[in-house]
Amino acid sequence: MSDELTPGRWHGNLEGGSGNAEGGSGAGSGSGSGVEFERSALAVALRELTQDHETPPTVPGSEIRRRAVRRRRRRKAALATAGTAGVGALALVLAVAFTGGEHGEHSRSTRPAAGYGEPTPSVTAGPVPATVTATVDLGRRQLVAEGRTVPISSGTEKSPTATGLMTVTAKYRSAAVPADVAGWSTYDMKASWVMRLRGPGDRTNYLLSLDWDQKAPGNYDITGGAIGLQREDAMWLYEMLRPGAVVEVVGATPTRPADASTPSLATPERSTPDRSSEEAVTPTGAARATGAVGSDTRP
């Protein structure tokens, strides 16, 4: 006989009555215990199956709205925190970029802005001082260049030599110098080793060999403003100075004593000298030789 339960059948009285449930034979007692165990196992299995397929409880609409509100609040709080952190990071980056860090290698200090009551100083580049190559002292009648001192003769009291900074603009081995600058009122003077100067007010002057009176340099002044030297000194200075060199003229012409007699002068040459040895130097330092003979060239 099988122990399985058949649906729709009753398998005896478990609480008493007929059927020998409590006091019958041993076979009847054993059969009742097996049925009770199977019923307990079936109940447990049905309970677990019910829990696995249990439907969640229904949530009311008000609770759903409260939960949605809480979620929005949490989201806004998270966004606000992230925004604050981003702003702080950006401010730190900008501070490091503009200041270079407090102890950076290339740290820069920010200059405070000028107040309304404080004048702003103007930054103007001043003129670059010129480098003086030679200095002429009219009072001592001497020229100093490269540590060498040579005697000179300059303009008289009636036609003094201009002072200030002068620039060498051209050089000539031989040239005719205007009479008023050379010291003669009628004829232009032929001179050698001539260096043309441009002085204050764009005035023209000359450094030259005083060929018509070699005794004058260092002793007395006879020119109309030109600066005359002895022949050897003029040749040395001609080779030393370059176009663009700066010559500074200082001092004043010494006063001649009232009883001093005018020294005798050698007869000068006219303004039509031989120009075969004339050499003109441009301000860039390039020399050109002119072979015109008898031409009247004035520097």
Side-chain angles (χ1 to χ4, degrees), residues 46-63:
L46 291 175
R47 191 180 300 112
E48 290 177 356
L49 181 61
T50 302
Q51 291 177 355
D52 291 341
H53 296 79
E54 182 179 3
T55 302
T58 303
V59 180
S62 58
E63 181 65 22

Side-chain angles (χ1 to χ4, degrees), residues 136-200:
V136 176
D137 191 334
L138 301 178
R140 296 182 179 182
R141 295 193 180 99
Q142 64 183 17
L143 179 147
V144 179
E146 291 189 347
R148 178 177 174 178
T149 302
V150 297
I152 60 105
S153 177
S154 61
T156 61
E157 296 179 17
K158 294 182 180 180
S159 55
T161 301
T163 59
L165 296 177
M166 302 183 183
T167 305
V168 178
T169 58
K171 302 197 301 180
Y172 308 88
R173 290 182 180 273
S174 179
V177 180
D180 56 343
V181 181
W184 294 85
S185 59
T186 304
Y187 304 107
D188 293 346
M189 298 294 297
K190 176 186 177 181
S192 57
W193 311 115
V194 180
M195 291 151 278
R196 186 173 64 190
L197 307 175
R198 184 177 67 244

Side-chain angles (χ1 to χ4, degrees), residues 210-264:
L210 202 61
D211 295 334
W212 57 92
D213 191 352
Q214 288 287 286
K215 295 181 181 179
N219 297 316
Y220 47 86
D221 301 309
I222 63 168
T223 73
I227 302 171
L229 299 91
Q230 294 179 352
R231 188 173 292 104
E232 292 182 358
D233 296 334
M235 182 174 61
W236 165 78
L237 189 65
Y238 180 92
E239 298 295 337
M240 191 266 295
L241 291 180
R242 296 287 183 269
V246 178
V247 178
E248 184 179 17
V249 181
V250 298
T253 302
T255 303
R256 180 180 298 179
D259 57 350
S261 59
T262 304
S264 60

